[in-house]
Amino acid sequence: MGKDREKSGISRRGFLKSGAVAAGVLSLAGVTGGMTALAVDGSSSESEKASEEIFRGVCRPNCFGFCHLNVHVRDGNIVKTSRAPYSNPAYSRICQRGLSHVQRIYNAERLQYPLRRKEGTPRGGGEWERISWDEAMDELVSKMQSIMQQYGSTAVAMTQGTTSGAVSPMIYTRLVQALSLSFIVPGYDSASSYAMKRMTGSSDDWQANERTDLVNAKTIVAWGANITDAQVQQWHFVKEAKQAGVKLVVVDPTFTQLASKADRWISPRPGTDPALYLGIINQIFEREAVDEAFVGQHTVAPFLVRSDTGRFLRWSEVSAEAAAAKAAQEAAAQEAAMQAMQAMADQGEMMAGMAYQSVLAAMAYDDQPVVMQQGNPMPANESTTPDLYGTLSVAGTNCTTALTLLKESVVDMTPSYVAELADISEEEFLDLVAICLDSPVTHYVGYGPQAYLNGAQSTHAGMTMAALTGNLGYPGASYGSFWLMGAATDPMFAVGAGIGKGSLIADMDFPDVVATGKYLGNDYPIKMLFIQTGNPLNCSTDTNLLRNTYDQLDYIVVADPMMTDTAQYADLVLPVCQWFETEEATQNGETVAINFNEKAIDPLYESKSDTEIVKMIADRMGLGDYFPASSTEALQMLFAGEVAEAMGVTYDQLKEKKEVRLVPDEVYIAFPGGQFKTPHGRLEFYVEDPQTRYATHVMPTEEQLALEHLPHWFPPAHAWFQSEDARQYPLVCMSERPRFRVHSQWHSVPALRELDPEPIVKINPKDARDRGISDGGYVECFNDLGHVVARAVFSEGIRPGTLVYPKGWHAGQFKAGSWSELISNDYDVFSVCPNFMDVSCDVRPWAEGGAE
Ligand SMILES: Nc1nc2c(c(=O)[nH]1)N[C@H]1C(S)=C(S)[C@@H](COP(=O)(O)OP(=O)(O)OC[C@H]3O[C@@H](n4cnc5c(=O)[nH]c(N)nc54)[C@H](O)[C@@H]3O)O[C@H]1N2
Ligand SMILES: Nc1nc2c(c(=O)[nH]1)N[C@H]1C(S)=C(S)[C@@H](COP(=O)(O)OP(=O)(O)OC[C@H]3O[C@@H](n4cnc5c(=O)[nH]c(N)nc54)[C@H](O)[C@@H]3O)O[C@H]1N2
Ligand code: SF4
Ligand SMILES: [Mo]
């Protein structure tokens, strides 16, 4: 094997002999130098080519890229991965991770056989016993059955991470449904998508214009987006837009590589993006810059809001005629729904219930919100030029337009106050206002701003800002990230053998459910956890608490290709094959396509595909008939049916074409012409009925519910200079995604470790000197929750009062601790999203054996 690697294009070939990696500090030149070496003439020699077979692979960590790769196979070994073409060459990319797959596939940390924790040794002790698949499956299923018998099926929980195949994650959710297991849903990135969904009604994650449209903007404003490293495959779109004359403005506390390429860099205090947006909204009103035509027709601006309930006033509350029509329609709907339910009675309670609900929904009375036109109330859909501001009294209740309420709500967000909150000068803030008012602007939003307690407010306020100036729905004008979900797969695939009775539980609530044995007030014991396609003990929050939660479980199973931090803590570890050892498709991401991944080689060692693993479990549980035996069969089931036919994404079409674009347009424009998927087709910057993303043991208070209709300002929980924590732990601790890993993946790839040998933390020299820390010395970052040791790297690009660490190192790669220990598990009750950046800590020099 090693011999084959020597022959391949990515063998060591003496690359990176330079000293650029000293002390873990990488200059850009160092990285580029390394990659030039890695990429050394990607072509194979003539004799090599003759014996080479090339398969189409799709690289699929959750980096939003889904690059198509040529997977070069010689003598049954993968010897190289190289760039393969997309139909749109703008998407034909490969990065150093894509180039180094060989070292990931033939990696010492690959799981080769099923492993059982040695009896009598503690979890995480690292002592394993190799067992056969039969033994592994018999043990797993007998544990599962005995727990199910004693506590019910929902005492077995499944969870997953974000690796982005089509079958891989869904085959497990099919099992969850079939067996009525509990499902622990990761909340990663959900503050942004939650806020976006509730405003736009879109079932997709948050959307912006396709990145091929960046060139049509006057200015790109990058809010907390680390495009050069975290969307390395997208950076060229920004570069090309710049070359075409588009201005680039970066709003980021840190002087990132992107900031170094920008026309303007603004460094706000972390966690203040909602304040900046609300301040800009204040100025839009002050300067009478509202795009009245857009907000009147495409947002809920003119809708009257009842002061007593906070809900939109409905036409049936104003017109007696409409009230009568509504009552009649509702009675008819009730009757029809009852009949539909009775007709389905023999199909079981669930199907009958669904029939009832669907008839009710289909026959619902269209009770239009009320607007005023020249002071006269009328149904919204009948008005052409509704009044945007004003108040109407209806039966003694004041009703005010949503736009008036928004305007009143931002009165205090003056330039001087906002500048003070964000710790920038008032001039800088006013410049930012001018930039944002000069449409078309593409607001390219990353995941930094949403990773604080107020993260959902950031997206809510940002999208509202964009809508007020009509800066949405046309080329160059956009707000958000781009993450379109494929809709072609058979939605019933995950449902499988029935609809499960287990709850979907937010991951942030999981520790509470396990500790109390209750979910939403009811007894809900969870005793077993099955984890796949994710590495929560590395990537989640408060990992000391999470480990403690795991300690309360009877049995933990992890299915992964690698020995991860989470696998280390399991009782049973199942080796999953790597990406090019099975057929798979991907169905979301920045390239707007469904992609097909061929199987290039057989699974190495005794590893198996996720489909095979699930099938073995289902067989033993007596449900084998409901589960596909191979990935091919799974894909055939998944990409089937009318929608798949109509969209041209059946299994056969995918296999033949390798890539099917999901939308017909040449360049995808989000919300074209101001069309939204909300019930009224309008952007709901005023959220009529704020709902939490998941029910958790924390309920929103009346006061929180009342505030949640409109975007509003409140500070981060921990990362805030006036917070209680700040007195003890004055530094804000933020992560960045390095180009050497996607999350915790590629952590043990030798070529990348040579470039990036050990954990570092970047610190402003002044903060370092105040603490006696030297450049390149080991430091311990700590707070009440945990600690971590890394090498300090001095950088003037780090905002004083903050630290920045590249994320994704495995626990065993630190001298002590790990980053996720420092992050609290508290969350905003509405978005239920991890607050990855909302972290305060302090730092001190560290020597082997402890703090100095
Ligand atoms: N190489 C690589 N690429 C990846 C990933 C990876 O792990 N590695 N992960 C993928 C995933 S799942 C995601 S979600 C994306 C994330 O994509 P990004 O969000 O672009 O990536 P990050 O590196 O987390 O960058 C966040 C930026 O926000 C800044 N920031 C922090 N706090 C604030 C704030 O309060 N306000 C503002 N304006 N900025 C702030 C940080 O300084 C940082 O530059 O990347 C994806 N791509
Ligand atoms: N400190 C900090 N932590 C963060 C963030 C942050 O900004 N700061 N960001 C968070 C965000 S946005 C995200 S999206 C998460 C990501 O969190 P995760 O999704 O948990 O991260 P990964 O490390 O990518 O874990 C994916 C795992 O799936 C395995 N895997 C890959 N392919 C397959 C397959 O086909 N089958 C199976 N069974 N397993 C497979 C990989 O080996 C890996 O162990 O991290 C979060 N964690
Ligand atoms: S890691 Fe992401 S950017 Fe790099 S090759 Fe794979 S899909 Fe493309
Ligand atoms: Mo993410």
Side-chain angles (χ1 to χ4, degrees):
M1 183 24 255
K3 223 164 151 240
D4 284 279
R5 262 190 293 166
E6 283 306 308
K7 273 195 286 174
S8 81
I10 82 156
S11 64
R12 289 175 50 92
R13 287 208 191 153
F15 66 82
L16 263 191
K17 291 231 170 90
S18 80
V21 274
V25 190
L26 279 174
S27 65
L28 180 61
V31 177
T32 316
M35 289 327 298
T36 311
L38 250 186
V40 183
D41 179 14
S43 59
S44 309
S45 72
E46 285 309 314
S47 64
E48 282 172 342
K49 264 191 212 151
S51 62
E52 204 167 273
E53 245 190 304
I54 294 181
F55 296 84
R56 178 61 60 91
V58 182
C59 190
R60 46 185 192 274
N62 178 24
C63 77
F64 319 164
F66 301 114
C67 298
H68 280 228
L69 306 183
N70 292 314
V71 180
H72 302 244
V73 175
R74 267 180 248 145
D75 304 329
N77 291 314
I78 296 177
V79 294
K80 184 169 80 176
T81 40
S82 65
R83 184 174 66 175
Y86 256 90
S87 53
N88 180 349
Y91 290 129
S92 307
R93 302 281 133 183
I94 190 166
C95 75
Q96 61 265 57
R97 300 179 301 268
L99 284 164
S100 62
H101 272 293
V102 172
Q103 293 189 352
R104 182 175 144 135
I105 295 165
Y106 302 101
N107 192 285
E109 291 194 31
R110 239 193 101 165
L111 291 168
Q112 304 188 357
Y113 319 102
L115 298 172
R116 173 163 59 203
R117 176 166 58 86
K118 264 199 189 148
E119 219 179 308
T121 66
R123 277 193 186 137
E127 293 203 49
W128 300 102
E129 180 190 349
R130 176 181 168 180
I131 55 174
S132 70
W133 272 106
D134 271 343
E135 278 176 279
M137 286 297 133
D138 289 346
E139 174 176 313
L140 187 157
V141 170
S142 90
K143 290 270 183 203
M144 199 149 136
Q145 281 170 331
S146 76
I147 288 172
M148 284 170 140
Q149 267 159 19
Q150 201 177 341
Y151 303 99
S153 66
T154 55
V156 177
M158 176 83 82
T159 193
Q160 56 191 199
T162 61
T163 275
S164 315
V167 169
S168 260
M170 283 174 85
I171 195 74
Y172 289 103
T173 43
R174 189 173 170 88
L175 190 69
V176 168
Q177 298 291 343
L179 296 175
S180 281
L181 311 182
S182 300
F183 192 62
I184 314 301
V185 191
Y188 304 138
D189 306 322
S190 57
S192 49
S193 55
Y194 161 81
M196 201 70 154
K197 281 178 194 170
R198 72 180 183 182
M199 297 175 82
T200 66
S202 173
S203 59
D204 300 329
D205 266 7
W206 69 345
Q207 284 186 36
N209 294 356
E210 194 171 349
R211 292 311 176 202
T212 45
D213 172 62
L214 283 180
V215 68
N216 295 317
K218 199 175 272 182
T219 312
I220 299 166
V221 184
W223 299 82
N226 179 16
I227 302 169
T228 56
D229 293 57
Q231 283 96 57
V232 64
Q233 71 284 7
Q234 306 283 341
W235 151 246
H236 73 102
F237 291 120
V238 181
K239 185 189 74 183
E240 284 149 17
K242 268 178 65 69
Q243 284 164 346
V246 178
K247 292 268 176 287
L248 173 65
V249 175
V250 169
V251 183
D252 197 308
T254 307
F255 188 68
T256 55
Q257 278 198 56
L258 187 72
S260 76
K261 308 281 174 273
D263 298 282
R264 187 74 194 257
W265 169 51
I266 294 172
S267 171
R269 200 195 309 267
T272 56
D273 299 68
L276 291 172
Y277 290 131
L278 293 168
I280 299 168
I281 293 172
N282 166 298
Q283 287 301 292
I284 292 172
F285 286 116
E286 278 293 311
R287 299 172 191 203
E288 297 183 359
V290 174
D291 181 335
E292 299 197 338
F294 185 89
V295 301
Q297 290 304 328
H298 299 293
T299 77
V300 295
F303 288 10
L304 288 162
V305 177
R306 294 180 63 115
S307 57
D308 53 352
T309 60
R311 298 182 67 86
F312 297 136
L313 178 71
R314 289 304 197 295
W315 188 236
S316 68
E317 296 166 278
V318 175
S319 148
E321 203 183 320
K326 184 181 175 202
Q329 170 96 2
E330 281 176 354
Q334 270 292 343
E335 199 175 318
M338 289 301 286
Q339 278 171 11
M341 188 168 82
Q342 277 152 14
M344 294 290 278
D346 58 345
Q347 306 274 317
E349 201 179 308
M350 191 191 69
M351 297 304 278
M354 277 168 67
Y356 178 83
Q357 290 301 339
S358 72
V359 171
L360 270 196
M363 291 182 68
Y365 179 74
D366 180 16
D367 200 358
Q368 281 284 310
V370 181
V371 301
M372 289 184 292
Q373 190 156 303
Q374 292 170 336
N376 300 316
M378 61 169 63
N381 61 354
E382 286 174 22
S383 118
T384 47
T385 50
D387 301 344
L388 297 178
Y389 302 95
T391 298
L392 179 77
S393 180
V394 177
T397 299
N398 266 347
C399 302
T400 309
T401 74
L403 195 65
T404 306
L405 294 177
L406 177 68
K407 184 176 178 182
E408 287 168 357
S409 75
V410 295
V411 170
D412 292 340
M413 301 306 282
T414 59
S416 62
Y417 178 53
V418 168
E420 193 186 314
L421 286 173
D423 191 27
I424 58 176
S425 73
E426 203 171 321
E427 290 67 40
E428 267 182 304
F429 173 69
L430 292 172
D431 286 352
L432 182 63
V433 173
I435 290 163
C436 294
L437 291 191
D438 192 11
S439 291
V441 180
T442 294
H443 298 277
Y444 192 136
V445 191
Y447 293 78
Q450 63 105 49
Y452 297 83
L453 189 71
N454 60 19
Q457 298 309 318
S458 182
T459 307
H460 193 163
M463 192 70 178
T464 302
M465 166 199 75
L468 284 184
T469 54
N471 189 70
L472 288 174
Y474 67 96
S478 174
Y479 177 89
S481 191
F482 186 65
W483 186 242
L484 194 80
M485 308 294 279
T489 47
D490 178 354
M492 294 307 277
F493 181 79
V495 174
I499 294 186
K501 296 190 179 60
S503 302
L504 300 179
I505 298 170
D507 56 348
M508 312 290 291
D509 209 26
F510 180 56
D512 184 80
V513 176
V514 173
T516 59
K518 287 193 183 298
Y519 179 56
L520 305 181
N522 300 318
D523 285 345
Y524 204 102
I526 294 185
K527 299 291 172 188
M528 171 174 168
L529 183 63
F530 189 131
I531 303 156
Q532 28 75 27
T533 62
N535 186 5
L537 277 184
N538 183 292
C539 293
S540 196
T541 53
D542 197 346
T543 42
N544 285 331
L545 171 71
L546 191 60
R547 204 172 295 108
N548 181 286
T549 302
Y550 286 6
D551 286 341
Q552 298 161 57
L553 301 173
D554 292 351
Y555 196 59
I556 301 171
V557 183
V558 170
D560 201 288
M562 306 295 284
M563 184 52 99
T564 63
D565 291 351
T566 312
Q568 287 282 7
Y569 214 66
D571 301 307
L572 181 71
V573 172
L574 305 174
V576 179
C577 63
Q578 275 283 10
W579 295 336
F580 312 130
E581 296 162 14
T582 184
E583 261 185 11
E584 177 60 295
T586 68
Q587 50 163 347
N588 42 20
E590 303 254 27
T591 59
V592 213
I594 295 191
N595 305 294
F596 187 83
N597 176 86
E598 288 177 329
K599 174 176 168 175
I601 58 169
D602 284 332
L604 289 183
Y605 319 112
E606 286 187 10
S607 67
K608 289 189 188 294
S609 71
D610 293 296
T611 309
E612 288 171 288
I613 294 172
V614 170
K615 172 80 170 165
M616 288 189 289
I617 299 171
D619 276 342
R620 283 168 170 75
M621 297 293 291
L623 286 168
D625 287 352
Y626 295 97
F627 285 82
S630 67
S631 302
T632 303
E633 214 180 288
L635 285 167
Q636 282 163 342
M637 287 167 70
L638 191 56
F639 294 97
E642 280 171 27
V643 182
E645 281 288 349
M647 291 180 78
V649 286
T650 58
Y651 171 82
D652 291 336
Q653 286 156 324
L654 268 174
K655 187 171 179 165
E656 184 199 324
K657 294 187 196 141
K658 308 285 184 290
E659 173 214 341
V660 178
R661 199 173 148 83
L662 274 171
V663 289
D665 340 26
E666 213 164 283
V667 176
Y668 178 78
I669 299 296
F671 319 115
Q675 296 307 307
F676 300 92
K677 290 185 185 152
T678 50
H680 314 291
R682 294 164 182 257
L683 180 92
E684 300 204 3
F685 66 77
Y686 183 96
V687 179
E688 184 177 21
D689 188 16
Q691 308 266 346
T692 61
R693 190 174 65 84
Y694 273 100
T696 70
H697 72 285
V698 192
M699 297 289 283
T701 61
E702 286 299 315
E703 196 191 356
Q704 283 174 317
L705 278 166
L707 278 171
E708 198 62 20
H709 295 295
L710 286 167
H712 56 287
W713 163 251
F714 56 91
H718 307 281
W720 189 242
F721 67 112
Q722 290 162 329
S723 75
E724 267 191 32
D725 299 7
R727 260 177 268 147
Q728 212 179 340
Y729 303 114
L731 300 176
V732 173
C733 185
M734 299 180 284
S735 58
E736 68 176 14
R737 292 164 221 254
R739 51 183 60 184
F740 307 105
R741 285 177 296 284
V742 174
H743 305 300
S744 69
Q745 302 186 58
W746 279 272
H747 76 283
S748 55
V749 166
L752 301 178
R753 288 296 62 75
E754 201 161 341
L755 290 157
D756 179 37
E758 67 178 322
I760 60 160
V761 58
K762 299 186 222 171
I763 184 168
N764 186 282
K766 176 161 185 328
D767 287 328
R769 286 192 202 103
D770 287 350
R771 292 166 172 79
I773 289 167
S774 57
D775 198 1
Y778 285 111
V779 292
E780 181 187 41
C781 305
F782 61 97
N783 62 20
D784 283 346
L785 299 173
H787 78 142
V788 59
V789 171
R791 261 189 210 273
V793 170
F794 283 20
S795 168
E796 293 288 354
I798 300 301
R799 194 181 210 279
T802 71
L803 301 174
V804 175
Y805 64 90
K807 72 163 288 229
W809 291 102
H810 279 215
Q813 295 176 309
F814 293 96
K815 295 274 183 195
S818 71
W819 291 114
S820 310
E821 289 182 16
L822 303 181
I823 306 167
S824 86
N825 190 53
D826 50 16
Y827 51 89
D828 169 50
V829 60
F830 290 98
S831 61
V832 197
C833 178
N835 298 327
F836 287 117
M837 308 271 185
D838 199 341
V839 177
S840 65
C841 74
D842 206 348
V843 55
R844 57 192 169 210
W846 185 88
E848 280 315 327
E852 275 175 358

